[in-house]
Amino acid sequence: MTGTLFGVGVGPGNPMQMTYEAVEIIKQTTHIAIPTAKPYAADTSFHNDTTSASPQNRGVLALNEILTKCSAYQIALGQVPELPDKKILPVYMPMTKNAPSLEKAHQEGAALIQQYLDSGHDVAFLTLGDPTVYSTYMYVQQRLLPLGYNCRIISGIPSFCASAAELTEALSVKDEMIHVIPASYPTLDALHFPGTKVFMKSGKQLPRLLSELREHPELYQSVQMVENCGMPTQKCYSSLEEIPENAGYFTTIIVK
Amino acid sequence: MTGTLFGVGVGPGNPMQMTYEAVEIIKQTTHIAIPTAKPYAADTSFHNDTTSASPQNRGVLALNEILTKCSAYQIALGQVPELPDKKILPVYMPMTKNAPSLEKAHQEGAALIQQYLDSGHDVAFLTLGDPTVYSTYMYVQQRLLPLGYNCRIISGIPSFCASAAELTEALSVKDEMIHVIPASYPTLDALHFPGTKVFMKSGKQLPRLLSELREHPELYQSVQMVENCGMPTQKCYSSLEEIPENAGYFTTIIVK
């Protein structure tokens, strides 16, 4: 029988924020797929340069390096200590906007998982936060669902809910709207939306976003930010003045 | 020492979708506040008519009726079987838009909880979904936080993430935005937002929302709906044609 693909949200960072369902699915599943921003050294298709001694010199990573760098894996490990005994499938998800490179990586990732589903194994693909909100899992599901594979999404706490919680702040009350905006969208246009604006993963675009916020104080009541929400390195900022220009990639900015 | 107020999200319906953190906080806390849409019979301030025999005849409810009707309590009970042994504080949250009635109820609810915090008890206020997204908990926190009380939000899976999961559908990929829209907002204006539109708690407004969607098919690619997400009565609808006019209050409509 063909296996089932689970997209499992492990929440924003703290293993205590995982759901019982997510932990149960991970425990029951023998094959765990995890996203990696650099290719896996054991994957021979990426071995263009076999002369270098260290995998890192070739721009690829050994499995232990991938596991250390993968936040979703590290979070799950906090509730499922037997995770290292399972078969880990690193899925290469390059952080690039180059469409052909992305297409190639997503196709190869889907093909890798498809192979295990075909041989009857269930596969749990771990994602940070919630699988329905900007997750790499969706690139795999989008390819396998139309082929008739059984896919199930296991919800996780999205980082923007966890960020508002850390700020002890509502995202919305009464009839307020919430707008979740990826950093690539023009800030100034987004600031005109009524209600709460949540800017996600604003890392690289942060200086531009902050400068637009500083130029248009008439468009908002408050600006708050959480960096690395749920991680040991988490920091909260409760006003625009406090926010540094050089924050990391996992920043969530809440504008009211 | 003054107690801490916890706003605890129990997720959309399935106790398995509760987080480990939410369950731990509920287990550790002796006093559990729950919202009730009708006043609690034991609360003498609502006993206007003491001649009727049954509490229900007076528009008030006995504690066991409140517990049965409270979704958040029933969900938590699924993971915390010792819940009935705790001190339950029903907080009257009338479903009305009458501002003075709301203000009075919220003030009384905050005062009730304040009394227990002052006597050194921690209080966990249970909310369906996530406390930062349209929860009644916020009306209490908004009053107690400025008074210097220690308030902590424990995130839960919001119903719109769980609804997208049940539909095996992304809320957003790449640079798509997500707009969470309460039913009271004009549908037609909201349909012009770029990206994914999530209409929450559209119950009463459903016929108007559906008719506007039917009149403007050019404004969307797909319309899907989940009714009573995570509850035993859950139903999914994957197109506009399938959606009935008479759906319940807890409906989430996802328009792409």
Side-chain angles (χ1 to χ4, degrees), chain A residues 89-105:
Chain A
L89 311 174
V91 177
Y92 180 41
M93 293 284 177
M95 287 178 85
T96 172
K97 297 204 171 178
N98 182 285
S101 304
L102 279 175
E103 179 65 23
K104 182 171 180 286

mmCIF file of all heavy atoms in Angstrom, chain A residues 89-105:
data_model
loop_
_atom_site.group_PDB
_atom_site.id
_atom_site.type_symbol
_atom_site.label_atom_id
_atom_site.label_comp_id
_atom_site.label_asym_id
_atom_site.label_seq_id
_atom_site.Cartn_x
_atom_site.Cartn_y
_atom_site.Cartn_z
ATOM 1 N N LEU A 89 15.362 12.067 5.619
ATOM 2 C CA LEU A 89 15.453 12.394 4.194
ATOM 3 C C LEU A 89 15.651 13.905 4.041
ATOM 4 O O LEU A 89 14.687 14.659 4.104
ATOM 5 C CB LEU A 89 14.159 11.994 3.476
ATOM 6 C CG LEU A 89 13.608 10.580 3.736
ATOM 7 C CD1 LEU A 89 12.247 10.414 3.055
ATOM 8 C CD2 LEU A 89 14.584 9.538 3.226
ATOM 9 N N PRO A 90 16.899 14.360 3.858
ATOM 10 C CA PRO A 90 17.096 15.805 3.664
ATOM 11 C C PRO A 90 16.568 16.203 2.280
ATOM 12 O O PRO A 90 16.877 15.558 1.285
ATOM 13 C CB PRO A 90 18.613 15.983 3.736
ATOM 14 C CG PRO A 90 19.137 14.698 4.325
ATOM 15 C CD PRO A 90 18.175 13.637 3.877
ATOM 16 N N VAL A 91 15.732 17.230 2.245
ATOM 17 C CA VAL A 91 15.161 17.716 0.982
ATOM 18 C C VAL A 91 15.747 19.102 0.712
ATOM 19 O O VAL A 91 15.571 20.022 1.516
ATOM 20 C CB VAL A 91 13.619 17.782 1.069
ATOM 21 C CG1 VAL A 91 13.037 18.358 -0.211
ATOM 22 C CG2 VAL A 91 13.045 16.388 1.335
ATOM 23 N N TYR A 92 16.452 19.211 -0.393
ATOM 24 C CA TYR A 92 17.157 20.455 -0.721
ATOM 25 C C TYR A 92 16.163 21.528 -1.139
ATOM 26 O O TYR A 92 15.457 21.391 -2.150
ATOM 27 C CB TYR A 92 18.167 20.174 -1.837
ATOM 28 C CG TYR A 92 18.981 21.359 -2.302
ATOM 29 C CD1 TYR A 92 19.491 22.295 -1.397
ATOM 30 C CD2 TYR A 92 19.270 21.530 -3.657
ATOM 31 C CE1 TYR A 92 20.245 23.371 -1.833
ATOM 32 C CE2 TYR A 92 20.034 22.606 -4.104
ATOM 33 C CZ TYR A 92 20.509 23.529 -3.181
ATOM 34 O OH TYR A 92 21.254 24.597 -3.618
ATOM 35 N N MET A 93 16.094 22.613 -0.342
ATOM 36 C CA MET A 93 15.222 23.747 -0.632
ATOM 37 C C MET A 93 16.097 25.002 -0.677
ATOM 38 O O MET A 93 16.296 25.665 0.343
ATOM 39 C CB MET A 93 14.157 23.892 0.467
ATOM 40 C CG MET A 93 13.153 22.762 0.525
ATOM 41 S SD MET A 93 11.938 22.940 -0.824
ATOM 42 C CE MET A 93 10.958 21.441 -0.580
ATOM 43 N N PRO A 94 16.676 25.304 -1.857
ATOM 44 C CA PRO A 94 17.615 26.425 -1.924
ATOM 45 C C PRO A 94 16.922 27.757 -1.624
ATOM 46 O O PRO A 94 15.764 27.946 -1.977
ATOM 47 C CB PRO A 94 18.119 26.379 -3.370
ATOM 48 C CG PRO A 94 17.083 25.611 -4.127
ATOM 49 C CD PRO A 94 16.439 24.685 -3.157
ATOM 50 N N MET A 95 17.629 28.647 -0.930
ATOM 51 C CA MET A 95 17.072 29.977 -0.664
ATOM 52 C C MET A 95 17.441 30.897 -1.815
ATOM 53 O O MET A 95 18.367 31.709 -1.721
ATOM 54 C CB MET A 95 17.606 30.516 0.661
ATOM 55 C CG MET A 95 16.991 29.798 1.851
ATOM 56 S SD MET A 95 17.616 30.352 3.431
ATOM 57 C CE MET A 95 16.573 31.774 3.759
ATOM 58 N N THR A 96 16.723 30.735 -2.920
ATOM 59 C CA THR A 96 16.992 31.533 -4.109
ATOM 60 C C THR A 96 15.664 31.911 -4.752
ATOM 61 O O THR A 96 14.650 31.259 -4.495
ATOM 62 C CB THR A 96 17.839 30.733 -5.122
ATOM 63 O OG1 THR A 96 17.924 31.473 -6.359
ATOM 64 C CG2 THR A 96 17.224 29.367 -5.433
ATOM 65 N N LYS A 97 15.662 32.970 -5.550
ATOM 66 C CA LYS A 97 14.451 33.319 -6.302
ATOM 67 C C LYS A 97 14.580 32.863 -7.757
ATOM 68 O O LYS A 97 13.702 33.131 -8.579
ATOM 69 C CB LYS A 97 14.165 34.825 -6.206
ATOM 70 C CG LYS A 97 13.879 35.238 -4.770
ATOM 71 C CD LYS A 97 13.059 36.501 -4.668
ATOM 72 C CE LYS A 97 12.649 36.697 -3.197
ATOM 73 N NZ LYS A 97 11.885 37.911 -2.949
ATOM 74 N N ASN A 98 15.692 32.197 -8.088
ATOM 75 C CA ASN A 98 15.911 31.683 -9.438
ATOM 76 C C ASN A 98 14.923 30.540 -9.732
ATOM 77 O O ASN A 98 15.031 29.443 -9.163
ATOM 78 C CB ASN A 98 17.365 31.200 -9.556
ATOM 79 C CG ASN A 98 17.689 30.688 -10.948
ATOM 80 O OD1 ASN A 98 17.267 29.591 -11.325
ATOM 81 N ND2 ASN A 98 18.405 31.477 -11.711
ATOM 82 N N ALA A 99 13.952 30.828 -10.613
ATOM 83 C CA ALA A 99 12.846 29.893 -10.849
ATOM 84 C C ALA A 99 13.295 28.505 -11.325
ATOM 85 O O ALA A 99 12.833 27.501 -10.778
ATOM 86 C CB ALA A 99 11.836 30.507 -11.816
ATOM 87 N N PRO A 100 14.204 28.398 -12.322
ATOM 88 C CA PRO A 100 14.599 27.051 -12.770
ATOM 89 C C PRO A 100 15.309 26.247 -11.666
ATOM 90 O O PRO A 100 15.064 25.042 -11.526
ATOM 91 C CB PRO A 100 15.554 27.327 -13.936
ATOM 92 C CG PRO A 100 15.253 28.722 -14.391
ATOM 93 C CD PRO A 100 14.813 29.452 -13.171
ATOM 94 N N SER A 101 16.145 26.911 -10.843
ATOM 95 C CA SER A 101 16.823 26.205 -9.741
ATOM 96 C C SER A 101 15.803 25.694 -8.730
ATOM 97 O O SER A 101 15.913 24.564 -8.238
ATOM 98 C CB SER A 101 17.792 27.127 -9.001
ATOM 99 O OG SER A 101 18.715 27.679 -9.885
ATOM 100 N N LEU A 102 14.821 26.546 -8.406
ATOM 101 C CA LEU A 102 13.776 26.154 -7.448
ATOM 102 C C LEU A 102 12.985 24.978 -7.989
ATOM 103 O O LEU A 102 12.768 23.981 -7.301
ATOM 104 C CB LEU A 102 12.826 27.333 -7.204
ATOM 105 C CG LEU A 102 13.310 28.388 -6.210
ATOM 106 C CD1 LEU A 102 12.330 29.556 -6.167
ATOM 107 C CD2 LEU A 102 13.466 27.790 -4.826
ATOM 108 N N GLU A 103 12.559 25.087 -9.263
ATOM 109 C CA GLU A 103 11.761 24.054 -9.914
ATOM 110 C C GLU A 103 12.505 22.710 -9.870
ATOM 111 O O GLU A 103 11.922 21.681 -9.513
ATOM 112 C CB GLU A 103 11.479 24.492 -11.361
ATOM 113 C CG GLU A 103 10.666 23.523 -12.190
ATOM 114 C CD GLU A 103 9.251 23.322 -11.694
ATOM 115 O OE1 GLU A 103 8.730 24.211 -10.993
ATOM 116 O OE2 GLU A 103 8.675 22.259 -11.989
ATOM 117 N N LYS A 104 13.791 22.737 -10.199
ATOM 118 C CA LYS A 104 14.611 21.521 -10.208
ATOM 119 C C LYS A 104 14.688 20.917 -8.795
ATOM 120 O O LYS A 104 14.462 19.711 -8.608
ATOM 121 C CB LYS A 104 16.024 21.852 -10.718
ATOM 122 C CG LYS A 104 16.982 20.662 -10.816
ATOM 123 C CD LYS A 104 18.266 21.071 -11.543
ATOM 124 C CE LYS A 104 19.247 19.902 -11.666
ATOM 125 N NZ LYS A 104 19.927 19.567 -10.396
ATOM 126 N N ALA A 105 14.938 21.764 -7.809
ATOM 127 C CA ALA A 105 15.064 21.277 -6.420
ATOM 128 C C ALA A 105 13.741 20.689 -5.931
ATOM 129 O O ALA A 105 13.715 19.619 -5.321
ATOM 130 C CB ALA A 105 15.514 22.420 -5.505
#
